[in-house]
């Protein structure tokens, strides 16, 4: 089987299951019983940068997986002539994630941040281990309960968790406050 065809089958497997195939699954994908042939194919794909391996030998998608073409700009104001120009390709991971090992996703429930454009059903991409700054949107454990709010440092250094909806009260920690993560992106699927 051609390398390009094998790579296309591995990419299709990844897009369907959101994980890379095992070596045995690669054997099945390329319809061979030869471990030697499969290993050679995988090593060739690793050397070309099409896929990667972790320190345990597990297959990983490279930056080429899921890359999307980035074309020009679109006017969100008054209409203007469209100019389609390929500027680059990138994956959403490259664009949205700075530290993969510290990043995770949470589904939004509730309407306390709705005026910040964060709606129920949206997905928040959050990063652990960052020091919060005034104005950040944070995931916090406050007095034993979890919430997402703006992190505000008031004039005397008092910390407030401020909602983006006037129907909800500002929260002032009474006993404990732990900032778990900073929101780095909100994802909404239409």
């Amino acid at each position: 089987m051609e390398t390009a065809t094998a790579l296309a089958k591995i990419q299709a497997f990844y897009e369907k299951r959101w994980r890379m195939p095992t070596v045995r699954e690669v054997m099945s994908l390329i319809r061979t019983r030869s471990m030697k042939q499969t290993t050679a194919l995988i090593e060739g794909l690793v050397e070309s940068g099409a896929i990667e391996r972790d320190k345990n030998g597990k297959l990983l998608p490279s930056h080429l997986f899921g890359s999307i073409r980035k074309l020009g700009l679109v006017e969100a104001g008054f209409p203007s002539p469209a100019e389609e120009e390929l500027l680059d390709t990138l994956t959403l991971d490259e664009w949205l994630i700075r530290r993969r090992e510290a990043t995770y996703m949470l589904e939004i429930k509730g309407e306390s941040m709705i005026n910040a454009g964060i709606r129920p059903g949206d997905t928040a991409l959050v990063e652990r281990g960052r020091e919060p700054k005034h104005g950040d949107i944070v995931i916090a454990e406050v007095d034993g309960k979890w919430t997402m709010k703006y992190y505000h440092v008031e004039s005397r250094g008092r910390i407030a968790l401020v909602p983006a909806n006037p129907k909800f009260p500002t929260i002032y920690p009474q006993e404990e406050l732990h900032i778990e993560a900073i929101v780095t992106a909100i994802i909404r699927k239409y």
Side-chain angles (χ1 to χ4, degrees):
M1 175 176 289
E2 290 182 27
T3 303
T5 303
L7 179 60
K9 288 182 179 280
I10 292 170
Q11 287 176 321
F13 181 98
Y14 178 79
E15 289 169 5
K16 185 176 180 181
R17 301 182 184 182
W18 289 104
R19 69 172 178 83
M20 290 295 284
T22 64
V23 173
R24 294 242 176 248
E25 288 170 331
V26 172
M27 290 173 71
S28 176
L29 291 172
I30 63 172
R31 298 181 183 187
T32 183
R33 292 182 180 191
S34 169
M35 181 62 81
K36 185 176 178 180
Q37 178 188 3
T38 305
T39 302
L41 171 75
I42 289 171
E43 291 311 316
L45 291 173
V46 169
E47 286 178 20
S48 71
I51 61 173
E52 299 174 2
R53 282 186 182 266
D54 69 9
K55 61 183 178 185
N56 298 319
K58 183 178 174 186
L59 301 181
L60 300 172
S62 74
H63 70 282
L64 300 175
F65 275 62
S67 65
I68 298 171
R69 293 177 297 152
K70 182 177 178 184
L71 301 176
L73 303 171
V74 64
E75 182 65 54
F78 294 104
S80 65
E83 292 181 27
E84 187 173 302
E85 177 184 356
L86 179 62
L87 299 178
D88 199 356
T89 60
L90 74 159
T91 68
L92 293 177
D93 285 2
E94 288 172 325
W95 186 48
L96 296 174
I97 299 174
R98 191 173 59 123
R99 295 174 38 230
R100 175 176 291 280
E101 72 285 354
T103 301
Y104 61 99
M105 296 189 295
L106 293 169
E107 184 176 337
I108 306 301
K109 179 181 174 187
E111 298 184 341
S112 73
M113 297 300 288
I114 203 152
N115 290 344
I118 303 172
R119 299 179 179 174
D122 288 351
T123 298
L125 205 62
V126 304
E127 184 178 318
R128 286 180 166 149
R130 285 176 50 181
E131 195 66 32
K133 299 185 309 269
H134 179 82
D136 280 344
I137 298 174
V138 298
I139 305 298
E141 184 178 19
V142 55
D143 298 326
K145 296 178 181 173
W146 290 93
T147 190
M148 170 194 280
K149 298 287 183 287
Y150 280 116
Y151 181 85
H152 275 221
V153 182
E154 296 186 343
S155 60
R156 294 186 180 176
R158 185 164 91 160
I159 304 299
L161 298 175
V162 179
N165 183 339
K167 294 179 182 174
F168 292 81
T170 295
I171 298 171
Y172 294 96
Q174 299 300 308
E175 295 182 12
E176 65 176 325
L177 173 65
H178 170 69
I179 304 300
E180 177 66 19
I182 310 290
V183 176
T184 58
I186 296 295
I187 302 165
R188 178 174 305 140
K189 189 172 180 180
Y190 294 98

